[in-house]
C-alpha cells in the first residue's frame, strides 16, 4: 500500500528502505546466527538521526512526528526484526519517559545523548512476578538522605547490557487505597549496586539483547526521580500507549517481509507443471496476507496521526497493536506454508520472520491485555 504520504515522509521511507536493503541486509543472518548485538549498525543509524525521530530537536532528536517514526520502524523491521525492536525499545521506552516527564537538567544529561544517537536507552518495568500486572512490582526504592536506594530485579528488558541509561519503576510506598505507589527512576549503567544479570536465549530476535536487571542497594541521586513520586504507574500507562504504535509498526514490517518473500516464490516455484501461485489454495493465502497487512497499516498510521494531532489515541493504539501483531503471526505462518518444506529450513528467511513476529503478540502488553484495554474503553466497564 502506498498512501499519499507527504514528500518528507516518503523521503524518509525511501531513505530507510535503501539503507536497510543495501547496508544492513547482508549482515543480518550472521548477527542472528551468532546472537550478536549489532553495535556498529546501531551507532550508524544513530549518526543518521534515526534513534530520536519523534523527539524534539532541542532535546537531541530529529523533531519529526509519530507517523515518521512508525514508517521508519516498519522499514527497519521489514529487513531485520531485531534491529527494529532495538530502535523501538530505545525510542519509545528509553527516550519516551524522559521526554514526557524529565526536567530540563535530566533531559540535557540523559535524553539528549540518547535521542542524538550517542547512547542507548532501556526501560525496566517487567519483573518475574509483575508483567501485565505492573501493580505487582516488587522492586523498591527508599529515600536515604540525598539518594534513593533501589533493591530488586527486572526481567525481559530489551537492550539490557547495551544501554547507558535505564528508566525503571519501583515501589516507593503505599497509596491510600492500599495499592503499591509506583515511581520512576533514571539509573545510569555505571550505578554502584546495579548490574545486568542473565541474558535470555529466545525463540527469535536473536540479535536483540533481552536480559535481567539487578539492584542490590543501588544508589542514585535524589534528582534521578523521574516525574512526581508515586506517579510512575500513570507514566507507564502513557508510555505504553505510544509504544504500542511502534510495536504495531514492527509487526507490520515483519508481515510485509513475509509477503515480499512469498510473492516471487509463488510466481516461480512449480508443482504439477505450473507455478504454485496459480492454485487457489496458495493465491488466496497471498490475497489474505496483502489485505490484512494493508488494513493493519491503516490502523497503525491512524494511531500515529491521532497522537500527532494531540488527540486521544490510546484506544486506536491498542487496536493497532493487537491487529497488526496477530496479522504478523498469520502472515509469517502463511509464508512458511507457501514455501512448504523449504520454509521450515533456515535456507529461507521466512522461518525467522515467524519466530520474530511472536514477540509482537507479547511485548508492550499481550493480545489479551490489548483486548481488555479496548473493551474497557468501549464498554465503560472494568472488564477482568
Amino acid at each position: 500500500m502506498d498512501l499519499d504520504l507527504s514528500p518528507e515522509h516518503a523521503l524518509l521511507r525511501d531513505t530507510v528502505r535503501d539503507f536497510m536493503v543495501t547496508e544492513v541486509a547482508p549482515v543480518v543472518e550472521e548477527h542472528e546466527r551468532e546472537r550478536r548485538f549489532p553495535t556498529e549498525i546501531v551507532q550508524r543509524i544513530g549518526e543518521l538521526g534515526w534513534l530520536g525521530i519523534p523527539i524534539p530537536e532541542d532535546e537531541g532528536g530529529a523533531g519529526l512526528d509519530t507517523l515518521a517514526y512508525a514508517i521508519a520502524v516498519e522499514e527497519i523491521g521489514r529487513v531485520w526484526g531485531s534491529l527494529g525492536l532495538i530502535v523501538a525499545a530505545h525510542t519509545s521506552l528509553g527516550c519516551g519517559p524522559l521526554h514526557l516527564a524529565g526536567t530540563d537538567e535530566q533531559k540535557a544529561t540523559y535524553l539528549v545523548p540518547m535521542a542524538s544517537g550517542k547512547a542507548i536507552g532501556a526501560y525496566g518495568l517487567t519483573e518475574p512476578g509483575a508483567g501485565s500486572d505492573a501493580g505487582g512490582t516488587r522492586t523498591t526504592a527508599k529515600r536515604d538522605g540525598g539518594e534513593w536506594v533501589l533493591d530488586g530485579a527486572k526481567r525481559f528488558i530489551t537492550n539490557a547490557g547495551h544501554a547507558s541509561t535505564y528508566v525503571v519503576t519501583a515501589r516507593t510506598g503505599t497509596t491510600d487505597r492500599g495499592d503499591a505507589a509506583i515511581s520512576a527512576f533514571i539509573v545510569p549503567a555505571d550505578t554502584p549496586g546495579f548490574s545486568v544479570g542473565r541474558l535470555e536465549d529466545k525463540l527469535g530476535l536473536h540479535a536483540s539483547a533481552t536480559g535481567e536487571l539487578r539492584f542490590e542497594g543501588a544508589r542514585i541521586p535524589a534528582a534521578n526521580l523521574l516525574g512526581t513520586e508515586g506517579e510512575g504507574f500513570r507514566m507507564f500507562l502513557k508510555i505504553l500507549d505510544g509504544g504500542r504504535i511502534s510495536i504495531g509498526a514492527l509487526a507490520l514490517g515483519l508481515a510485509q517481509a513475509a509477503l515480499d518473500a512469498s510473492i516471487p516464490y509463488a510466481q516461480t516455484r512449480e508443482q504439477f507443471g505450473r507455478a504454485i501461485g496459480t492454485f487457489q489454495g496458495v493465491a488466496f493465502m497471498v490475497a489474505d496476507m496483502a489485505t490484512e497487512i494493508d488494513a493493519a497499516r491503516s490502523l497503525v498510521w491512524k494511531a500515529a496521526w491521532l497522537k500527532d494531532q494531540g488527540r486521544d489515541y490510546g484506544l486506536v493504539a491498542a487496536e493497532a497493536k493487537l491487529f497488526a501483531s496477530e496479522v504478523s503471526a498469520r502472515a509469517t505462518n502463511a509464508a512458511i506454508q507457501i514455501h512448504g518444506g523449504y520454509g521450515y529450513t533456515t535456507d529461507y528467511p521466512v522461518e525467522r520472520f515467524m519466530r520474530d513476529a511472536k514477540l509482537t503478540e507479547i511485548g508492550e502488553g499481550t493480545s489479551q491485555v490489548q483486548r481488555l484495554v479496548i473493551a474497557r474503553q468501549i464498554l465503560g466497564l472494568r472488564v477482568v
Side-chain angles (χ1 to χ4, degrees):
M1 180 184 70
D2 187 11
L3 295 179
D4 189 17
L5 292 174
S6 71
E8 293 79 8
H9 288 115
L11 177 61
L12 176 67
R13 178 200 60 193
D14 296 344
T15 303
V16 176
R17 182 178 298 176
D18 180 68
F19 174 81
M20 292 300 299
V21 170
T22 59
E23 297 193 38
V24 177
V27 305
V28 170
E29 293 302 334
E30 176 186 353
H31 280 76
E32 288 290 312
R33 184 172 57 254
E34 297 178 1
R35 288 167 162 74
R36 176 155 48 97
F37 190 89
T39 302
E40 299 83 2
I41 294 172
V42 172
Q43 290 174 344
R44 177 72 176 120
I45 63 175
E47 294 168 356
L48 291 169
W50 298 344
L51 290 180
I53 289 175
I55 305 300
E57 291 183 74
D58 61 359
E59 296 177 4
L64 301 179
D65 58 16
T66 311
L67 178 56
Y69 172 47
I71 290 170
V73 171
E74 177 183 346
E75 292 300 327
I76 294 170
R78 190 173 181 174
V79 171
W80 198 358
S82 291
L83 185 60
L85 181 62
I86 291 167
V87 173
H90 160 83
T91 307
S92 294
L93 304 183
C95 296
L98 283 157
H99 168 63
L100 177 67
T103 64
D104 290 342
E105 183 177 353
Q106 289 172 340
K107 289 178 179 180
T109 303
Y110 301 107
L111 178 56
V112 170
M114 291 196 295
S116 61
K118 297 180 177 63
I120 295 296
Y123 188 57
L125 171 70
T126 304
E127 298 184 4
S132 299
D133 177 20
T137 297
R138 291 292 175 264
T139 296
T140 61
K142 297 180 180 179
R143 187 69 181 262
D144 182 16
E147 295 179 315
W148 287 95
V149 183
L150 278 65
D151 287 282
K154 300 292 181 178
R155 191 79 184 271
F156 305 129
I157 307 306
T158 303
N159 295 339
H162 295 274
S164 63
T165 302
Y166 297 83
V167 176
V168 304
T169 54
R171 296 170 62 112
T172 50
T174 304
T175 67
D176 294 339
R177 296 184 303 175
D179 300 325
I182 306 295
S183 302
F185 298 90
I186 305 166
V187 181
D190 59 358
T191 297
F194 167 72
S195 63
V196 174
R198 58 169 285 181
L199 295 179
E200 305 294 343
D201 190 7
K202 309 186 298 291
L203 171 69
L205 301 165
H206 289 159
S208 165
T210 306
E212 179 185 30
L213 309 182
R214 296 175 178 172
F215 306 92
E216 299 171 309
R219 290 181 172 269
I220 57 174
N224 281 30
L225 172 69
L226 182 60
T228 305
E229 184 178 344
E231 293 295 314
F233 187 74
R234 291 184 183 180
M235 183 193 305
F236 136 77
L237 293 177
K238 290 180 182 178
I239 292 302
L240 286 191
D241 279 344
R244 285 164 184 157
I245 297 174
S246 63
I247 294 298
L250 175 60
L252 266 178
L254 291 164
Q256 186 67 55
L259 177 60
D260 292 344
S262 297
I263 292 172
Y265 192 84
Q267 291 170 329
T268 57
R269 169 67 169 166
E270 292 190 356
Q271 289 287 277
F272 306 103
R274 55 196 288 192
I276 62 172
T278 63
F279 295 102
Q280 286 187 3
V282 173
F284 287 5
M285 280 194 285
V286 172
D288 287 344
M289 292 165 72
T291 301
E292 290 196 324
I293 290 169
D294 275 356
R297 184 174 291 111
S298 295
L299 266 178
V300 171
W301 286 12
K302 179 182 179 181
W305 179 82
L306 287 171
K307 187 174 188 294
D308 290 332
Q309 297 300 309
R311 295 168 60 179
D312 186 1
Y313 65 95
L315 173 61
V316 179
E319 291 175 338
K321 193 272 185 185
L322 169 65
F323 188 66
S325 64
E326 296 195 347
V327 164
S328 190
R330 289 192 291 270
T332 54
N333 185 66
I336 290 180
Q337 196 70 18
I338 290 169
H339 282 71
Y342 288 111
Y344 199 66
T345 72
T346 56
D347 292 339
Y348 288 78
V350 289
E351 58 84 29
R352 171 166 57 86
F353 301 153
M354 185 184 74
R355 290 186 289 103
D356 290 352
K358 186 60 191 176
L359 181 278
T360 66
E361 294 182 284
I362 299 170
E364 300 270 3
T366 64
S367 292
Q368 290 70 28
V369 167
Q370 304 310 315
R371 288 183 166 90
L372 278 175
V373 171
I374 295 165
R376 287 172 179 175
Q377 292 201 42
I378 292 174
L379 295 172
L381 301 172
R382 183 163 181 78
V383 182
V384 296

